[in-house]
Amino acid sequence: PDAPGLYLGQSLLLAGRFEEARASAADSVAMYLHLGKRREAAYAVITLGQCHQHQGGYRAAHISAEEGLALAEKTDFPRGVGMALGLMGAIALADGAYEEALSRCEESLAVWQRSIGHPSEFEGELACLGLAARTIGHRDDAWKHIVSQLAWAQESQLLMPILFGLSSIALLLA
């Protein structure tokens, strides 16, 4: 979606300004639902969920992810489906539900690869897959996911995929 309110929320989220990002995302959800722009509303709801996640509100984050997934599926918005499933995987990882994290991130990765195909769009899922696999003792799978993520990060030459990969390796080595 090409919507300034959405990108403001995402920009604030990436800057670590979670409360401002949450407020921007909540305003965007209300505005886009009022305007009947359900695809943009899905993106905003998922961004709201990411804000809750980063503030430790996993239940609220999961509710937002479910709402975003439902909206994304209804509007045939694969990017939103991938984002929502990835968020669910990250929440499950944070909650210690490692098998669920693996499952959700694998679903998300499949959506991204089928519909988007651009490596920079699914770096979080690969990092989550690697960390969940490591935690349940599947170190070979963990390395496979992280090495794939780093290879795509190098190919994309974008900062976020590189940061995800490097931080994931640090956690794998811990």
Side-chain angles (χ1 to χ4, degrees):
D2 186 19
L6 297 178
Y7 295 116
L8 174 61
Q10 279 289 312
S11 296
L12 290 166
L13 180 66
L14 289 172
R17 295 167 57 180
F18 304 127
E19 192 56 38
E20 291 170 89
R22 189 200 56 73
S24 176
D27 289 347
S28 293
V29 170
M31 177 182 67
Y32 290 121
L33 287 175
H34 176 75
L35 294 172
K37 294 183 166 266
R38 293 165 48 139
R39 181 178 280 210
E40 288 82 357
Y43 191 99
V45 168
I46 296 162
T47 299
L48 182 60
Q50 292 169 330
C51 295
H52 289 304
Q53 174 203 9
H54 288 293
Q55 293 181 304
Y58 299 131
R59 179 156 171 67
H62 191 77
I63 291 168
S64 292
E66 287 177 337
E67 290 174 3
L69 178 61
L71 278 170
E73 288 175 337
K74 287 178 187 172
T75 58
D76 192 31
F77 181 33
R79 184 175 187 193
V81 170
M83 288 175 63
L85 290 169
L87 176 57
M88 289 175 176
I91 295 164
L93 181 66
D95 272 345
Y98 304 115
E99 295 290 343
E100 182 183 347
L102 282 171
S103 176
R104 290 297 188 170
C105 287
E106 286 169 350
E107 288 178 73
S108 177
L109 185 59
V111 169
W112 286 116
Q113 289 174 325
R114 230 181 8 257
S115 61
I116 307 294
H118 192 278
S120 71
E121 296 289 347
F122 45 81
E123 74 272 354
E125 284 75 2
L126 285 168
C128 186
L129 279 168
L131 295 173
R134 172 197 174 261
T135 304
I136 61 173
H138 300 161
R139 288 191 78 76
D140 290 343
D141 288 341
W143 279 109
K144 178 186 76 174
H145 293 305
I146 299 304
V147 168
S148 294
Q149 196 275 324
L150 281 173
W152 285 332
Q154 182 182 13
E155 179 184 314
S156 71
Q157 297 183 359
L158 296 172
L159 179 61
M160 289 307 293
I162 293 169
L163 292 176
F164 268 105
L166 293 175
S167 61
S168 297
I169 283 181
L171 291 170
L172 284 176
L173 293 173

